[in-house]
Amino acid sequence: MTIINVDNKDYEIKNNYKNILEICLSFGIDIPYFCWHPILGSVGSCRQCIIKRYNNRDDTIGHLIISCMTKVKNYDFISTKDKESLNCRSKIIELIMINHPHDCPVCEEGGQCHLQDMTVMLKHNSRRYNFYKRTHKNQYLGPFINHEMNRCITCYRCIRFYKDYAGGKDLGVFGSSNNIYFGRLMNGKLENEFSGNLIEICPTGVFTDKQYSMHYARKWDLQYAPSICNGCSCGCNINIGERYGKIRKIENRYNSKINNYFLCDRGRFGYGYINSVNRNRIPYINNNPIKSIDLAIDYSADMLNTANRIIGIGSPRASIESNFALCTLVGKKNFSNGIEKNELECLQLILDVLYKGALPSSSIIDIQYHDIIIILGEDITQVSARIALSVRQAAKRCSFNIAKKYKISEWDINSVNNISNGYKNPIYIFTTNKTILDDIAYEKIICTKKEITKLGFAIASFIDHKSPKINFKSFNNKNKKILLKFLNNLRCSKRPLIISGCSLKYSLILKSAYNISRAFKFLEKKGSIILNSNESNSIGVTMLGGKSLNWAINKLITNKADAVIILENNIYRRMKSSSVYNALKNKKIILIDYQRNITFDNANVILPAATIAEGNGTLINYEGRAQRFFKVYEPSYYRTGDLTKESWRWLHALNIAKKNCKLEWIHLNDVIKVCSKYNPIFRNILKLSQFKIKLSRLPHRFSGRTALNANIQIHEKKSPKDIDSKFTFSTEGYNCSEIAFAWYPGWNSPQAWNKFQNEVGGNLYAGNPGIMLINNCNKKNELAYYNNNIKYEKNKIWQIIPIYHLIGSEEHSVSIKKPYIMISKHDINLLKLIPGSKIKAIINNLELNIIIKSTNNMRNGIIGLPCGIKGIPVESFGMCFNFIIKK
Ligand code: SF4
Ligand code: SF4
Ligand code: FES
């Protein structure tokens, strides 16, 4: 235990590896700072955190120190309030502000600006410098981020995040002395998948949110709710900000196990679908808008009562509650979870591994502490980006271990980087195409999915002879060498990690990944496994059970079912369009969705579903962690006649109308209670909603509340009530437990998080929201090794692989990319094609007008097609087809 005396008060410290700034902030003592960041460490460039240290209790003179660059020692005597350090800090802020444009009233950072907060904290309020300010030109940085370089205070946080932490290559620092420029070499979109974090990293308004700018409202004028990103299966925590029934921005919500301080750009900017003017906000019957819930429900119930057999198609993007409500309505034997069969096979396997696997699933933050990682078949940055950011940190982690030997603290990031000389932990990547993480790969192999599988099985069998064997002779020399290298590295490793997933929809890859994890256990390594699922609730809906989408389509095509309820699922994106079209032809269709998709025009009844911003519900991420998202606003409060409801409410209403029984589910928890009887694993979700006090959705300074609806009625409209959560639609209530927005007196920027953590960078006071449904440590009947039964096609035909993009490959974002086909250079020459030209090609009997792209990073005989882009036949992914070019 270390004792530190700050401003004449003794504090006990458990973590004496932290610097004095971090320690003081953890005790709630405000010291101004700019360049330090809990994750990026200290570089001592801004000097704003200067305080005074005394040699002992009797020392009355002391000396100034940079608190972020100073280790704590036992019986340290510190003053943050003595005259000399106060004076020094006020001179520093004056210097920092010399070139700053002082444009707070028109700056979008105003009201959430760390520079503003620190300037106020330091009481700097008058300007003595009367000369010209240094000015810069701004750059176009793409659709997400605005650039206003004159506001820069040269703290270097942006570059330390973008380049050093996130691996970005296209943001740099140019110039010298007091003329430093942070930008790109030339105008252009920031390429890194985490560029949006610059908005929160930059302590002033240099990088601001361009999307937010298009419908801007001050931070304190937004209504917030804690939510979960539904962009992928990571389950990153977010706060959604709304005003006038429109989502204005998404902020990172700190979770020490998942996203920590950072989100990917899909999660931060991918909310346009919620605001879409195309959304259906009232029911439709046979394409006619209906203004009555009762009418829509009665009509639907009558329609269902005349059907011979109703099936339900659920969704991996809908909440557990909504999927369960559908399952209850149609019955277990008629419920499909809406997932294509190959993907479902992968998900069922993932669930088996979660329940009974040899090693635990790693949380995103824990990934960083593994010392060797092998990735099989995934371009993880494009499918679950936050995992990839942690893999990047794992590669760099050995720097910290080297530094530790020299007693260099982790926060002393420049020393850490210098001493480690860029040495990285080994990352092995075996994929079908190049990946964003290739720059940190120690070794990579580009091959077919079957070869990846073989390599996986081979590794497992090398480690543990009980694992099914693979003929080593069939590998080429290069691959043999890489495998041997991996085994060598593994010998020195303490914590290996294997990552694979559903991207290629090939369960054998997952089986080989599992075998590797089991072999790690055989070596008695404290390893982990991540088997990634693609969508926000893929694991949740698989836990519920249900049959594949193929089963449902088959039942409809063969007329074994004549009515179908489709829940939040654009099934055209999952299966061959013509099969889906034939399946839905002349059927009774009820569609419950918030997106206007292709099924919309053919449905008999359309019921407007709430998005993640308009409803409460539960999602389960890739590791089996259940998390609640909360309604940000009540749609009918702003739009009279808006009949948007959570899907489970529509489905339950339909169920009771159909069966002519009494309403049973009023609260969200009523659904989960019944669901827990169905599968006890869900029982713990109830713990997520226990609350005694109310928390506010509106910041205390929210303005114009009484006038929000003044254009409709001058009397203030009664605030709606949220019967399912602890959050009020008002400023009443506390705001410091499950945080709807990061704000604390004097701390208006995202730096306010330090006021809600046990220690800076540690857990939140009330613990992380969410609950693990599967106990990783208590596994009975451990899964045995999977058999290697890879089948090979005899004829040489083309194999189609999906290429994922962060924006455009999932259902909520629209890609501006044109359909393209990626072929190896060798095959392009063989087929006499010209890269960049457009061709007509036939794949699986489907004619495509498509642009040719050439690559050095794909095996011959493989065709890459972008996943999620309109016009691309999804059913072809992972299959082998003839590829015919039409002249
Ligand atoms: S742009 Fe922002 S983050 Fe980068 S150095 Fe300037 S003030 Fe710091
Ligand atoms: S990694 Fe996934 S869950 Fe996290 S912000 Fe990105 S899309 Fe959302
Ligand atoms: S925060 Fe300590 S020098 Fe910048």
Side-chain angles (χ1 to χ4, degrees):
M1 188 75 72
T2 305
I3 309 286
I4 177 173
N5 180 295
V6 187
D7 299 330
N8 296 322
K9 191 174 168 196
D10 281 351
Y11 296 89
E12 283 178 359
I13 316 166
K14 281 184 208 125
N15 295 329
N16 62 0
Y17 52 82
K18 298 204 166 187
N19 61 54
I20 295 182
L21 172 64
E22 283 180 277
I23 289 170
C24 290
L25 289 172
S26 299
F27 291 137
I29 302 163
D30 290 345
I31 299 178
Y33 64 88
F34 289 116
C35 61
W36 171 81
H37 184 279
I39 298 297
L40 306 179
S42 315
V43 290
S45 71
C46 75
R47 313 268 149 165
Q48 193 57 79
C49 62
I50 280 174
I51 54 170
K52 190 171 261 187
R53 175 187 244 175
Y54 299 92
N55 290 333
N56 50 47
R57 207 180 278 275
D58 304 325
D59 179 3
T60 51
I61 300 169
H63 55 280
L64 294 179
I65 55 161
I66 301 178
S67 61
C68 74
M69 293 296 288
T70 309
K71 271 188 193 176
V72 68
K73 56 177 197 219
N74 204 6
Y75 293 109
D76 227 340
F77 287 88
I78 302 292
S79 166
T80 64
K81 293 181 181 152
D82 79 290
K83 252 192 187 165
E84 210 179 346
S85 60
L86 283 176
N87 186 31
C88 183
R89 293 203 296 260
S90 75
K91 293 289 179 300
I92 301 269
I93 192 73
E94 194 173 5
L95 267 173
I96 283 177
M97 293 301 282
I98 275 184
N99 282 309
H100 190 78
H102 289 77
D103 57 345
C104 305
V106 293
C107 174
E108 289 181 10
E109 193 80 352
Q112 52 187 317
C113 175
H114 187 55
L115 178 63
Q116 253 182 353
D117 288 348
M118 297 299 103
T119 312
V120 172
M121 194 183 282
L122 290 155
K123 301 191 174 62
H124 169 65
N125 52 19
S126 80
R127 183 178 172 79
R128 293 186 289 161
Y129 180 80
N130 289 326
F131 304 97
Y132 284 120
K133 293 179 186 179
R134 172 215 61 208
T135 54
H136 296 288
K137 279 190 176 159
N138 302 322
Q139 286 185 322
Y140 167 79
L141 296 178
F144 298 141
I145 298 192
N146 273 323
H147 193 217
E148 177 46 73
M149 250 315 284
N150 291 333
R151 297 179 187 141
C152 179
I153 57 164
T154 51
C155 69
Y156 281 74
R157 270 181 168 207
C158 52
I159 215 72
R160 283 159 54 213
F161 168 75
Y162 194 88
K163 243 174 124 186
D164 303 348
Y165 194 84
K169 311 262 181 315
D170 59 327
L171 188 78
V173 44
F174 310 92
S176 66
S177 67
N178 81 332
N179 195 5
I180 309 273
Y181 192 87
F182 295 84
R184 298 184 85 245
L185 210 51
M186 54 186 71
N187 283 340
K189 183 182 173 302
L190 283 170
E191 286 160 10
N192 191 271
E193 298 71 25
F194 299 92
S195 65
N197 294 296
L198 291 174
I199 298 162
E200 290 180 11
I201 283 283
C202 178
T204 172
V206 177
F207 299 105
T208 50
D209 186 334
K210 207 180 240 183
Q211 305 280 310
Y212 179 33
S213 168
M214 289 175 192
H215 43 214
Y216 186 75
R218 288 289 183 198
K219 172 181 171 161
W220 62 81
D221 278 344
L222 299 184
Q223 172 164 259
Y224 299 87
S227 193
I228 307 300
C229 174
N230 60 355
C232 75
S233 65
C234 291
C236 294
N237 289 198
I238 53 174
N239 282 334
I240 306 183
E242 164 275 349
R243 190 162 170 96
Y244 285 119
K246 275 201 161 186
I247 302 309
R248 306 300 174 111
K249 69 164 174 171
I250 286 181
E251 290 175 355
N252 181 67
R253 182 162 59 100
Y254 182 82
N255 184 313
S256 70
K257 289 274 182 280
I258 308 177
N259 44 305
N260 216 301
Y261 293 92
F262 308 120
L263 295 177
C264 80
D265 287 357
R266 182 194 280 180
R268 188 181 295 275
F269 301 114
Y271 59 84
Y273 72 96
I274 303 176
N275 290 343
S276 170
V277 286
N278 269 336
R279 276 186 58 191
N280 42 313
R281 294 193 177 271
I282 51 170
Y284 283 73
I285 296 179
N286 298 323
N287 283 331
N288 298 312
I290 302 294
K291 289 187 181 158
S292 150
I293 291 181
D294 291 345
L295 192 60
I297 291 293
D298 290 345
Y299 182 90
S300 308
D302 288 347
M303 192 172 83
L304 294 180
N305 279 333
T306 58
N308 292 325
R309 184 175 181 185
I310 314 157
I311 56 169
I313 299 180
S315 165
R317 71 168 152 94
S319 67
I320 286 292
E321 292 82 359
S322 295
N323 276 298
F324 180 66
L326 177 61
C327 182
T328 312
L329 168 60
V330 296
K332 200 174 171 184
K333 65 179 193 324
N334 295 317
F335 176 67
S336 152
N337 46 32
I339 300 171
E340 185 273 334
K341 73 172 185 335
N342 291 325
E343 189 178 345
L344 186 59
E345 194 183 328
C346 295
L347 287 166
Q348 280 160 345
L349 198 143
I350 293 176
L351 208 53
D352 283 347
V353 173
L354 281 174
Y355 283 128
K356 296 181 286 184
L359 292 180
S361 181
S362 168
S363 74
I364 290 180
I365 294 307
D366 194 41
I367 292 172
Q368 300 174 183
Y369 301 98
H370 291 84
D371 52 11
I372 180 169
I373 298 181
I374 174 164
I375 302 175
L376 296 190
E378 292 284 297
D379 186 355
I380 203 83
T381 320
Q382 309 286 18
V383 287
S384 290
R386 192 59 187 79
I387 292 181
L389 190 62
S390 279
V391 170
R392 212 169 260 290
Q393 309 324 310
K396 286 186 274 183
R397 190 73 215 159
C398 71
S399 315
F400 297 109
N401 298 337
I402 296 169
K404 203 173 169 188
K405 286 186 195 146
Y406 294 90
K407 297 202 165 65
I408 296 171
S409 309
E410 285 197 10
W411 46 262
D412 188 358
I413 198 70
N414 280 345
S415 309
V416 170
N417 290 340
N418 287 339
I419 201 92
S420 64
N421 208 9
Y423 190 75
K424 290 201 169 55
N425 277 331
I427 310 288
Y428 285 77
I429 304 178
F430 302 167
T431 50
T432 49
N433 190 11
K434 68 171 183 197
T435 74
I436 307 265
L437 286 179
D438 287 356
D439 62 328
I440 53 158
Y442 186 62
E443 287 294 351
K444 61 175 224 178
I445 297 178
I446 288 187
C447 50
T448 64
K449 62 179 186 181
K450 292 190 177 170
E451 284 163 338
I452 297 172
T453 312
K454 252 174 82 176
L455 287 163
F457 279 119
I459 289 175
S461 68
F462 278 136
I463 304 172
D464 181 0
H465 68 274
K466 284 188 216 122
S467 174
K469 299 267 170 309
I470 275 281
N471 181 5
F472 189 52
K473 284 182 196 147
S474 62
F475 293 120
N476 64 32
N477 280 342
K478 186 181 160 228
N479 291 358
K480 274 182 196 165
K481 271 189 195 157
I482 292 177
L483 284 195
L484 294 176
K485 235 184 198 180
F486 174 79
L487 294 169
N488 245 337
N489 286 148
L490 185 64
R491 218 167 288 152
C492 318
S493 149
K494 289 196 179 97
R495 288 201 71 193
L497 169 66
I498 164 88
I499 299 179
S500 191
C502 297
S503 289
L504 296 171
K505 299 187 180 159
Y506 188 52
S507 61
L508 273 173
I509 288 197
L510 297 165
K511 287 181 179 172
S512 71
Y514 173 71
N515 281 9
I516 294 179
S517 74
R518 200 168 193 276
F520 286 164
K521 191 174 179 190
F522 169 79
L523 286 184
E524 296 186 350
K525 306 270 182 196
K526 201 170 165 274
S528 319
I529 180 168
I530 289 183
L531 296 182
N532 187 40
S533 44
N534 281 357
E535 290 169 84
S536 55
N537 204 19
S538 298
I539 290 297
V541 77
T542 312
M543 278 176 171
L544 263 183
K547 301 182 180 78
S548 72
L549 179 59
N550 306 56
W551 168 88
I553 294 296
N554 186 275
K555 283 281 167 275
L556 291 164
I557 286 183
T558 53
N559 289 325
K560 289 190 178 133
D562 55 348
V564 56
I565 305 170
I566 305 173
L567 167 70
E568 300 180 32
N569 198 341
N570 181 0
I571 51 178
Y572 280 90
R573 287 176 63 104
R574 298 178 194 271
M575 281 189 64
K576 194 173 180 176
S577 302
S578 54
S579 309
V580 177
Y581 177 81
N582 287 334
L584 298 183
K585 210 160 83 186
N586 302 326
K587 301 290 178 324
K588 300 178 171 98
I589 305 169
I590 298 176
L591 175 68
I592 308 175
D593 210 334
Y594 45 82
Q595 305 235 89
R596 204 176 256 257
N597 57 43
I598 193 164
T599 324
F600 194 90
D601 296 330
N602 304 323
N604 302 79
V605 179
I606 292 147
L607 302 173
T611 63
I612 205 146
E614 295 135 358
N616 301 314
T618 313
L619 299 176
I620 298 175
N621 83 346
Y622 74 89
E623 43 173 348
R625 191 185 295 269
Q627 300 186 97
R628 276 259 154 107
F629 58 87
F630 299 97
K631 186 186 275 205
V632 189
Y633 70 102
E634 173 56 48
S636 59
Y637 185 68
Y638 294 110
R639 286 177 285 268
T640 316
D642 189 322
L643 299 179
T644 304
K645 299 269 172 276
E646 287 122 320
S647 299
W648 68 264
R649 288 193 192 277
W650 284 117
L651 288 159
H652 185 55
L654 211 49
N655 200 9
I656 57 172
K658 185 172 164 288
K659 293 178 187 156
N660 204 10
C661 54
K662 260 182 33 198
L663 192 71
E664 283 171 6
W665 299 346
I666 296 170
H667 296 274
L668 188 68
N669 276 351
D670 298 336
V671 192
I672 288 296
K673 275 178 198 155
V674 184
C675 190
S676 312
K677 285 183 197 146
Y678 174 88
N679 183 347
I681 193 100
F682 295 113
R683 195 175 300 139
N684 276 341
I685 295 178
L686 289 171
K687 291 186 188 151
L688 294 178
S689 52
Q690 287 165 357
F691 55 90
K692 291 194 183 101
I693 49 167
K694 280 283 181 186
L695 308 175
S696 56
R697 276 186 174 86
L698 304 183
H700 297 157
R701 297 175 300 157
F702 190 86
S703 64
R705 178 177 139 189
T706 51
L708 271 178
N709 278 301
N711 59 333
I712 303 162
Q713 210 198 39
I714 56 161
H715 300 293
E716 187 189 351
K717 205 170 167 182
K718 190 170 180 287
S719 295
K721 274 215 163 84
D722 184 353
I723 54 170
D724 291 323
S725 85
K726 56 191 123 182
F727 293 97
T728 62
F729 288 101
S730 75
T731 52
E732 285 94 45
Y734 291 89
N735 68 1
C736 57
S737 161
E738 189 148 24
I739 302 162
F741 45 88
W743 179 83
Y744 194 84
W747 296 81
N748 299 288
S749 77
Q751 321 293 322
W753 282 111
N754 69 49
K755 294 287 176 187
F756 301 100
Q757 296 162 341
N758 290 333
E759 56 178 320
V760 174
N763 288 336
L764 294 174
Y765 283 145
N768 289 311
I771 199 157
M772 290 293 284
L773 294 186
I774 301 169
N775 184 354
N776 269 327
C777 315
N778 185 18
K779 286 174 179 167
K780 291 176 195 149
N781 313 321
E782 189 175 294
L783 277 180
Y785 283 117
Y786 284 105
N787 278 331
N788 145 35
N789 44 5
I790 311 169
K791 293 189 184 76
Y792 297 93
E793 285 87 11
K794 283 187 188 121
N795 302 332
K796 182 179 173 350
I797 40 177
W798 295 84
Q799 192 181 101
I800 320 283
I801 57 156
I803 298 179
Y804 289 86
H805 293 277
L806 188 76
I807 310 287
S809 287
E810 45 69 61
E811 208 172 325
H812 291 132
S813 62
V814 181
S815 175
I816 48 165
K817 283 196 169 48
K818 301 233 158 56
Y820 66 83
I821 186 164
M822 183 91 81
I823 314 181
S824 74
K825 264 194 182 152
H826 167 273
D827 288 345
I828 289 225
N829 293 335
L830 197 78
L831 298 165
K832 298 196 177 71
L833 296 171
I834 304 162
S837 64
K838 216 171 185 184
I839 56 158
K840 272 191 184 160
I842 298 175
I843 296 175
N844 191 20
N845 300 326
L846 196 83
E847 188 172 309
L848 304 173
N849 267 326
I850 204 155
I851 297 166
I852 302 279
K853 281 193 182 181
S854 136
T855 177
N856 282 331
N857 291 300
M858 234 161 61
R859 282 283 298 273
N860 303 335
I862 289 189
I863 289 175
L865 291 175
C867 183
I869 289 179
K870 212 173 164 193
I872 296 295
V874 278
E875 69 280 5
S876 61
F877 292 140
M879 311 298 270
C880 293
F881 291 113
N882 282 325
F883 167 49
I884 303 159
I885 299 162
K886 277 183 97 181
K887 298 285 174 209

